[in-house]
Amino acid sequence: MKSLLGLTLDELKNCVTELGMPAFTAKQIADWLYVKRVKSIDDMTNLSLRNRKLLSDEYEVGISTPIAHQRSKDGTIKYLFPVRCCDGKEIERHIETVFIPDGDRATLCVSCQVGCKMNCLFCQTGKQGWHGNLTAADILNQIYSVPDAEALTNIVFMGQGEPADNADAVLKAIDILTAEWGFQWSPRRITISSVGIRGKLRRLLDESGCHIAISLHSPLHEQRQQLMPAEQAMPISETVELLRQYDFSHQRRCSFEYICFGGLNDSPLYAREIAKLLSGLDCRVNLIRFHKIPNIDLPSTQEAHMEQMRDYLTHHGIFTTIRASRGEDILAACGMLSTAQNR
C-alpha cells in the first residue's frame, strides 16, 4: 500500500488524476493530511464515499506511531519509531526522535537517516553504521505522530544522520512543512544541522530558508579531521567561506555547534582560533559539554573552561551560549542516539 504522507501537492494532483478523481480533491487531501492531520482516509469527510474508496484501494495515510518511549527526569522524551528506509534490504529499522520541552518552547529533534556515514569519533549514531536514508514520509511521520505534535514550536534536524547526505528527502520534507498547502510552518522555526559536505551543503542553503547549524568541534584542520572524517572532503575553512556568501544579518541564523572535550579543545588557544576562523561572519556559537558514549575514551570538560571560552568569544563579537544538556539520563543528549535494535 502506498503512502499519502510525504506527497507534495503536485504529486497529489497526479495521484487523483490517475484515479479518475476531480483535480480539486488534491488540495482537499493535502488539507486533511497536513493541516487537520487525519489518521485515516475515512476521516476525509468532504471527499465522496466513492472517492474515499478509490483512494483507500491504492493508498493509506502512511503514519506509524512510536513503539516505545523514555522520559528523562528533565522532561525530555525519546521516542522509538519503526521505519521502512531505502537500504535495499527488507528489514524493519528503527530511529529515535527527541521531544524537548522548555517553557513556552517545544522542540522536536528529528532523524533523517538510520545510522550515519560521517562516523564522527564522539557520536554514538555513527558507531552503528549506515543502514539507509529516510524518505520524506519517514521524516514527516516523526513530526506527525509524536503525542506532543500540537505543542511543537521548533524542529531541528539534529537527530540521527547527516541532513546534507539525504538532501532530497530532507528538502522535500521541509517544502511540505513550509508550504501554504502543507504544514504552514515558517522556515525560521526549523534548523538544519550539517558537518559540511561539498556540493550538498550549498543545496541546503539555496533550497531552504531554514537556519543552518554547522558541527565545528575544532577550528584546527588536523584535529577536526581526527574527530570528524568529513573534514578531509570539505575542510571547515571552506565551509566558512561558503557561508560568507549568504546573508545571516536578518532573520535567518547561522550557528556553530562546538562540543568541548576536557584538555583537548577547551583552552584559550581554541577560543582564539575560533574567533579568527569566524571573524566577520554573522553567526553564533553553541558550546556543548561532551556526553560520554561507550568505548570512546574522550574526556568531558569543566564548566569553568566552557565559561572562559564563552566569555572570550562574546568579548570578540561572537554571540556564544553554553547549551544545557537535556535527556542525558535516557541517552537522548547530543551524540547519544543509537537505536541498539539496528545492530
Side-chain angles (χ1 to χ4, degrees):
M1 191 72 75
K2 294 177 284 188
S3 171
L4 292 172
L5 186 65
L7 297 184
T8 65
L9 183 58
D10 284 343
E11 289 172 330
L12 288 171
K13 288 176 180 176
N14 291 336
C15 160
V16 300
T17 298
E18 289 172 1
L19 293 175
M21 297 165 59
F24 66 82
T25 55
K27 186 69 181 293
Q28 292 176 318
I29 294 168
D31 183 67
W32 285 113
L33 282 174
Y34 302 127
V35 179
K36 298 183 175 70
R37 303 194 195 186
V38 296
K39 294 178 171 58
S40 168
I41 291 172
D42 288 336
D43 295 330
M44 300 180 182
T45 52
N46 63 350
L47 273 62
S48 69
L49 287 172
R50 173 185 175 275
N51 286 336
R52 273 181 269 169
K53 176 67 166 58
L54 286 171
L55 197 59
S56 59
D57 283 347
E58 298 285 337
Y59 291 89
E60 59 186 356
V61 170
I63 60 173
S64 63
T65 54
I67 58 174
H69 74 278
Q70 293 175 277
R71 185 182 295 270
S72 167
K73 60 187 178 184
D74 64 26
T76 299
I77 306 173
K78 182 172 70 172
Y79 293 101
L80 183 70
F81 281 95
V83 293
R84 295 167 291 185
C85 62
C86 306
D87 63 353
K89 299 177 182 178
E90 293 298 321
I91 301 173
E92 184 178 83
R93 302 291 188 181
H94 300 85
I95 54 163
E96 291 177 333
T97 305
V98 182
F99 173 70
I100 309 167
D102 185 15
D104 59 359
R105 184 184 177 98
T107 301
L108 193 69
C109 180
V110 302
S111 295
C112 64
Q113 294 179 310
V114 179
C116 185
K117 297 176 186 176
M118 301 302 108
N119 197 26
C120 297
L121 179 62
F122 48 83
C123 182
Q124 185 66 23
T125 302
K127 303 298 176 283
Q128 72 183 59
W130 179 80
H131 298 287
N133 288 327
L134 300 191
T135 64
D138 290 325
I139 294 169
L140 292 172
N141 181 66
Q142 298 167 70
I143 301 158
Y144 205 97
S145 297
V146 290
D148 325 275
E150 295 301 321
L152 296 179
T153 62
N154 297 83
I155 293 168
V156 294
F157 282 82
M158 295 182 179
Q160 293 171 263
E162 162 57 49
D165 194 42
N166 189 18
D168 287 343
V170 168
L171 289 167
K172 184 179 182 183
I174 289 171
D175 182 34
I176 294 169
L177 280 168
T178 58
E180 175 274 330
W181 47 262
F183 283 74
Q184 302 174 11
W185 275 54
S186 165
R188 304 300 186 255
R189 295 168 62 188
I190 303 169
T191 300
I192 313 172
S193 175
S194 179
V195 300
I197 299 179
R198 185 176 280 111
K200 296 181 179 181
L201 176 58
R202 186 181 290 276
R203 281 195 65 195
L204 298 182
L205 290 160
D206 287 345
E207 297 179 35
S208 86
C210 302
H211 302 311
I212 195 78
I214 300 298
S215 299
L216 175 55
H217 312 315
S218 176
L220 306 179
H221 172 70
E222 293 79 8
Q223 185 186 58
R224 189 171 188 262
Q225 187 170 312
Q226 291 174 352
L227 293 170
M228 308 169 65
E231 168 74 6
Q232 183 173 357
M234 188 175 185
I236 189 61
S237 57
E238 291 187 18
T239 299
V240 171
E241 287 310 305
L242 173 62
L243 293 168
R244 292 187 190 280
Q245 300 173 26
Y246 295 82
D247 182 6
F248 298 106
S249 63
H250 299 291
Q251 290 187 326
R252 193 181 195 186
R253 189 169 63 240
C254 172
S255 61
F256 290 85
E257 310 298 300
Y258 192 91
I259 295 177
C260 293
F261 307 98
L264 190 65
N265 68 345
D266 62 345
S267 70
L269 164 67
Y270 287 90
R272 289 195 296 271
E273 291 298 321
I274 293 170
K276 188 187 305 181
L277 175 69
L278 304 182
S279 177
L281 179 64
D282 201 319
C283 65
R284 62 179 61 193
V285 172
N286 297 315
L287 303 177
I288 306 165
R289 178 176 57 82
F290 172 60
H291 305 107
K292 290 280 190 180
I293 61 173
N295 304 315
I296 297 298
D297 186 23
L298 287 169
S300 292
T301 190
Q302 299 176 28
E303 191 74 14
H305 292 173
M306 296 176 73
E307 291 172 354
Q308 289 170 2
M309 292 190 74
R310 178 199 61 195
D311 294 346
Y312 181 93
L313 291 169
T314 300
H315 180 72
H316 285 78
I318 301 173
F319 180 74
T320 303
T321 64
I322 297 174
R323 182 187 290 173
S325 293
R326 299 292 302 272
E328 187 173 4
D329 57 322
I330 58 169
L331 303 181
C334 181
M336 301 184 84
L337 301 184
S338 67
T339 55
Q341 289 87 345
N342 294 321
R343 298 180 204 158

